[in-house]
Amino acid sequence: MKIKSKLPNVGTTIFTVMSALAKEHHAINLSQGFPNYPSSQKLNDLVTNAMNNGYNQYAPMAGNLELRLAIAHKYQLLYKSTYHPEKEITVTAGATQAIYTIISAFIRRNDEVIMFKPAYDCYEPAVEINGGKTIPVQLSAPNYSVNWEEVASKISPQTKMIIINSPHNPSGTIWSKDDMLQLQKLTRNTDIIILSDEVYEHIVFDDAQHQSACLFEDLKQRSFICASFGKTFHNTGWKIGYCCAPEALMVEFRKVHQFNVFSVHHPSQKGISDYMQDPETYLGLNTFFQRKRDLFLSLISESRFKFQPSQGTYFQVLDYSEITNESDVDFAKRLTKEFKIAAIPLSVFNTNNQDDKVLRFCFAKTDETLVKAAEILNSI
Ligand SMILES: Cc1ncc(COP(=O)(O)O)c(C=O)c1O
């Protein structure tokens, strides 16, 4: 049989490659973005209670209503922003499914989608499989700041969507209020949809404020916000997230959602809804992860790696240019095999694999793991 791939350029993701290499070489795995400590016992118990109390059949297509009410309450509390729980919020199988569904609901052949590189790796294949074209705006280490004139020059009559992501994976940078205002100005009076990937909204450091798309009234009218409970509640394996958008956009989203997922794991939704009744469950994340970032960075301050402290997410980018000229992919592989520590090379997320000689390390790990990782990094 002759198979004509719809995604001929897509192979195994770098996360799978590096995690497999880490396993093979018994390396400390700071490559993939997941915690190596347990999910909250209270949350686990609440999900178990939901199973024992009969939440075992299909949830409503848009999600368990109590959970949607809890999400709507969070947007009021944090951003004074209103989303109608029945019409403007949909629970999804992780942020990845929300992102894929948004793109397939709106992108047609030859539509252009602007995205900022380095970009999380699920955006581009979703655009491609729907016949769209990725229009990259390449950002560079160490600041990954946006040249808004360049963005303006890339907007064309074919531009259908702009994908943004702050706090940003993989760079650990965040967008300022001014960035959001620039985006708002550029897209005002257009039909461009904004896909705002905000999965790290609760992980912002040094008292900075997360600039959610919902804070900007004109942007909000054209935006989908995507979120992930896996990131927020330390259980990436549960794959539960959601998206919010104005009703007219959400109607189109649900037309696709109901036929590729219909609804997601019901007991987890009920358990998360009960857990979220206490806002500290998500408001405490900044402090929790800032302590881990500071521990990691203080431990490697004398190493030969250079860095600017991460502004958000649970990733820290380290510049290794004083150590070697090797490509970031080669160096990441050598670190894993010889030094027993795995990280992600950023070039794989860049246009033409631009290599800024930086690697991404995940610090959502136990203090013990971070101490061991730092010992290795100090020895290089
Ligand atoms: C920027 C970004 N968006 C989306 C996702 C996917 O989230 P989920 O695991 O909920 O699908 C991730 C996960 O690493 C991410 O880093």
Short mmCIF file of all heavy atoms in Angstrom, two decimals, residues 302-305 320 322-324 326 331 334-336 338-341 359 361 373-380:
data_model
loop_
_atom_site.label_atom_id
_atom_site.label_comp_id
_atom_site.label_asym_id
_atom_site.label_seq_id
_atom_site.Cartn_x
_atom_site.Cartn_y
_atom_site.Cartn_z
N GLU A 302 27.54 29.40 40.01
CA GLU A 302 28.99 29.38 39.74
C GLU A 302 29.33 28.52 38.53
O GLU A 302 30.51 28.32 38.22
CB GLU A 302 29.76 28.83 40.96
CG GLU A 302 29.52 29.59 42.28
CD GLU A 302 30.10 30.99 42.22
OE1 GLU A 302 31.26 31.13 41.77
OE2 GLU A 302 29.40 31.95 42.59
N SER A 303 28.33 27.98 37.87
CA SER A 303 28.61 27.09 36.73
C SER A 303 29.00 27.92 35.51
O SER A 303 28.97 29.15 35.53
CB SER A 303 27.37 26.26 36.39
OG SER A 303 26.44 27.07 35.70
N ARG A 304 29.36 27.21 34.41
CA ARG A 304 29.74 27.93 33.19
C ARG A 304 28.53 28.24 32.30
O ARG A 304 28.67 28.81 31.23
CB ARG A 304 30.79 27.12 32.42
CG ARG A 304 32.14 27.07 33.15
CD ARG A 304 33.25 26.70 32.21
NE ARG A 304 33.15 25.29 31.82
CZ ARG A 304 33.71 24.78 30.72
NH1 ARG A 304 34.40 25.56 29.91
NH2 ARG A 304 33.60 23.49 30.46
N PHE A 305 27.34 27.87 32.77
CA PHE A 305 26.13 28.22 32.01
C PHE A 305 25.75 29.67 32.36
O PHE A 305 25.87 30.08 33.51
CB PHE A 305 24.98 27.29 32.40
CG PHE A 305 25.15 25.88 31.91
CD1 PHE A 305 25.76 24.92 32.71
CD2 PHE A 305 24.72 25.52 30.65
CE1 PHE A 305 25.93 23.62 32.27
CE2 PHE A 305 24.88 24.21 30.19
CZ PHE A 305 25.48 23.26 31.00
N TYR A 320 24.90 27.85 26.84
CA TYR A 320 26.12 27.07 27.08
C TYR A 320 27.28 27.52 26.17
O TYR A 320 28.28 26.81 26.04
CB TYR A 320 25.84 25.57 26.86
CG TYR A 320 25.46 25.23 25.43
CD1 TYR A 320 26.44 24.98 24.46
CD2 TYR A 320 24.14 25.19 25.04
CE1 TYR A 320 26.10 24.69 23.15
CE2 TYR A 320 23.79 24.90 23.73
CZ TYR A 320 24.77 24.66 22.80
OH TYR A 320 24.43 24.38 21.49
N GLU A 322 29.74 29.37 26.45
CA GLU A 322 31.11 29.42 27.00
C GLU A 322 31.70 28.03 27.15
O GLU A 322 32.88 27.86 27.45
CB GLU A 322 31.09 30.11 28.37
CG GLU A 322 31.13 31.60 28.22
CD GLU A 322 31.20 32.34 29.55
OE1 GLU A 322 31.48 31.70 30.59
OE2 GLU A 322 30.96 33.55 29.52
N ILE A 323 30.87 27.01 26.96
CA ILE A 323 31.33 25.64 27.20
C ILE A 323 31.77 24.95 25.91
O ILE A 323 32.80 24.29 25.85
CB ILE A 323 30.22 24.81 27.90
CG1 ILE A 323 29.89 25.47 29.24
CG2 ILE A 323 30.64 23.35 28.09
CD1 ILE A 323 28.70 24.87 29.95
N THR A 324 30.98 25.14 24.84
CA THR A 324 31.28 24.43 23.59
C THR A 324 30.61 25.11 22.40
O THR A 324 29.65 25.88 22.58
CB THR A 324 30.76 22.97 23.68
OG1 THR A 324 30.89 22.34 22.40
CG2 THR A 324 29.31 22.89 24.08
N GLU A 326 29.40 23.14 20.00
CA GLU A 326 28.52 22.10 19.43
C GLU A 326 27.12 22.65 19.18
O GLU A 326 26.69 23.58 19.86
CB GLU A 326 28.36 20.97 20.47
CG GLU A 326 29.45 19.95 20.50
CD GLU A 326 29.38 19.16 21.81
OE1 GLU A 326 29.81 19.69 22.85
OE2 GLU A 326 28.87 18.03 21.78
N PHE A 331 24.83 18.83 21.71
CA PHE A 331 25.23 19.02 23.09
C PHE A 331 24.19 18.40 24.05
O PHE A 331 24.55 17.76 25.04
CB PHE A 331 25.40 20.52 23.38
CG PHE A 331 25.96 20.81 24.75
CD1 PHE A 331 27.11 20.18 25.22
CD2 PHE A 331 25.33 21.73 25.59
CE1 PHE A 331 27.62 20.45 26.49
CE2 PHE A 331 25.83 22.01 26.86
CZ PHE A 331 26.98 21.37 27.31
N ARG A 334 24.81 14.76 24.09
CA ARG A 334 26.04 14.41 24.83
C ARG A 334 25.84 14.58 26.34
O ARG A 334 26.30 13.76 27.14
CB ARG A 334 27.20 15.29 24.33
CG ARG A 334 28.57 14.85 24.86
CD ARG A 334 29.69 15.40 24.02
NE ARG A 334 29.90 16.84 24.20
CZ ARG A 334 30.61 17.37 25.18
NH1 ARG A 334 31.16 16.61 26.11
NH2 ARG A 334 30.78 18.68 25.26
N LEU A 335 25.11 15.65 26.71
CA LEU A 335 24.83 15.85 28.15
C LEU A 335 24.11 14.63 28.71
O LEU A 335 24.39 14.19 29.83
CB LEU A 335 23.92 17.05 28.35
CG LEU A 335 24.54 18.44 28.44
CD1 LEU A 335 23.46 19.45 28.84
CD2 LEU A 335 25.65 18.48 29.48
N THR A 336 23.18 14.11 27.92
CA THR A 336 22.38 12.98 28.41
C THR A 336 23.24 11.73 28.52
O THR A 336 23.21 11.02 29.54
CB THR A 336 21.20 12.71 27.44
OG1 THR A 336 20.56 13.95 27.17
CG2 THR A 336 20.21 11.72 28.03
N GLU A 338 26.76 11.39 28.37
CA GLU A 338 28.00 11.43 29.17
C GLU A 338 27.80 11.95 30.58
O GLU A 338 28.39 11.48 31.52
CB GLU A 338 29.03 12.36 28.48
CG GLU A 338 29.74 11.70 27.33
CD GLU A 338 30.74 12.65 26.68
OE1 GLU A 338 31.27 13.55 27.37
OE2 GLU A 338 30.96 12.49 25.46
N PHE A 339 26.94 12.98 30.71
CA PHE A 339 26.81 13.62 32.03
C PHE A 339 25.53 13.21 32.76
O PHE A 339 25.31 13.60 33.89
CB PHE A 339 26.86 15.15 31.88
CG PHE A 339 28.22 15.65 31.45
CD1 PHE A 339 28.51 15.85 30.12
CD2 PHE A 339 29.21 15.90 32.40
CE1 PHE A 339 29.75 16.32 29.72
CE2 PHE A 339 30.46 16.37 32.02
CZ PHE A 339 30.73 16.57 30.66
N LYS A 340 24.68 12.46 32.07
CA LYS A 340 23.45 11.91 32.68
C LYS A 340 22.46 12.99 33.11
O LYS A 340 21.88 12.93 34.20
CB LYS A 340 23.79 11.02 33.92
CG LYS A 340 24.89 10.00 33.66
CD LYS A 340 24.39 8.87 32.79
CE LYS A 340 25.50 7.87 32.48
NZ LYS A 340 25.38 7.28 31.14
N ILE A 341 22.32 13.99 32.25
CA ILE A 341 21.25 14.97 32.48
C ILE A 341 20.65 15.35 31.13
O ILE A 341 21.37 15.63 30.18
CB ILE A 341 21.79 16.21 33.26
CG1 ILE A 341 20.62 17.16 33.56
CG2 ILE A 341 22.89 16.97 32.53
CD1 ILE A 341 20.93 18.14 34.66
N LEU A 359 19.70 25.68 25.97
CA LEU A 359 18.93 24.47 26.28
C LEU A 359 17.87 24.83 27.31
O LEU A 359 18.09 25.73 28.15
CB LEU A 359 19.84 23.39 26.88
CG LEU A 359 21.02 22.91 26.03
CD1 LEU A 359 21.83 21.88 26.83
CD2 LEU A 359 20.53 22.28 24.73
N PHE A 361 15.67 23.68 30.56
CA PHE A 361 15.62 22.74 31.68
C PHE A 361 14.30 22.95 32.44
O PHE A 361 13.92 24.09 32.72
CB PHE A 361 16.80 22.98 32.65
CG PHE A 361 18.13 22.66 32.03
CD1 PHE A 361 18.75 23.54 31.15
CD2 PHE A 361 18.78 21.46 32.32
CE1 PHE A 361 19.98 23.23 30.56
CE2 PHE A 361 20.00 21.14 31.74
CZ PHE A 361 20.60 22.02 30.86
N ALA A 373 20.86 17.65 39.86
CA ALA A 373 21.04 18.22 38.52
C ALA A 373 22.08 19.34 38.57
O ALA A 373 22.97 19.42 37.70
CB ALA A 373 19.71 18.77 38.01
N ALA A 374 21.99 20.17 39.61
CA ALA A 374 22.93 21.30 39.72
C ALA A 374 24.36 20.80 39.90
O ALA A 374 25.31 21.36 39.32
CB ALA A 374 22.53 22.19 40.89
N GLU A 375 24.53 19.72 40.66
CA GLU A 375 25.88 19.16 40.85
C GLU A 375 26.48 18.80 39.50
O GLU A 375 27.65 19.07 39.21
CB GLU A 375 25.83 17.92 41.74
CG GLU A 375 25.84 18.25 43.22
CD GLU A 375 25.50 17.02 44.08
OE1 GLU A 375 25.56 15.88 43.58
OE2 GLU A 375 25.17 17.25 45.26
N ILE A 376 25.66 18.19 38.66
CA ILE A 376 26.15 17.80 37.32
C ILE A 376 26.48 19.04 36.50
O ILE A 376 27.56 19.15 35.90
CB ILE A 376 25.10 16.93 36.58
CG1 ILE A 376 24.85 15.64 37.34
CG2 ILE A 376 25.54 16.66 35.15
CD1 ILE A 376 23.75 14.77 36.75
N LEU A 377 25.56 20.01 36.48
CA LEU A 377 25.78 21.20 35.65
C LEU A 377 27.01 21.97 36.11
O LEU A 377 27.76 22.54 35.29
CB LEU A 377 24.54 22.11 35.68
CG LEU A 377 23.28 21.47 35.06
CD1 LEU A 377 22.06 22.37 35.24
CD2 LEU A 377 23.47 21.17 33.57
N ASN A 378 27.28 21.96 37.41
CA ASN A 378 28.48 22.64 37.93
C ASN A 378 29.76 21.93 37.53
O ASN A 378 30.84 22.53 37.51
CB ASN A 378 28.41 22.74 39.45
CG ASN A 378 27.37 23.76 39.90
OD1 ASN A 378 27.07 24.69 39.16
ND2 ASN A 378 26.83 23.58 41.09
N SER A 379 29.64 20.64 37.20
CA SER A 379 30.84 19.87 36.88
C SER A 379 31.22 19.96 35.38
O SER A 379 32.21 19.41 34.95
CB SER A 379 30.62 18.39 37.26
OG SER A 379 29.75 17.79 36.31
N ILE A 380 30.40 20.63 34.61
CA ILE A 380 30.63 20.65 33.15
C ILE A 380 31.52 21.82 32.73
O ILE A 380 31.29 22.93 33.16
CB ILE A 380 29.26 20.71 32.40
CG1 ILE A 380 28.47 19.44 32.71
CG2 ILE A 380 29.47 20.85 30.90
CD1 ILE A 380 27.03 19.48 32.31
#
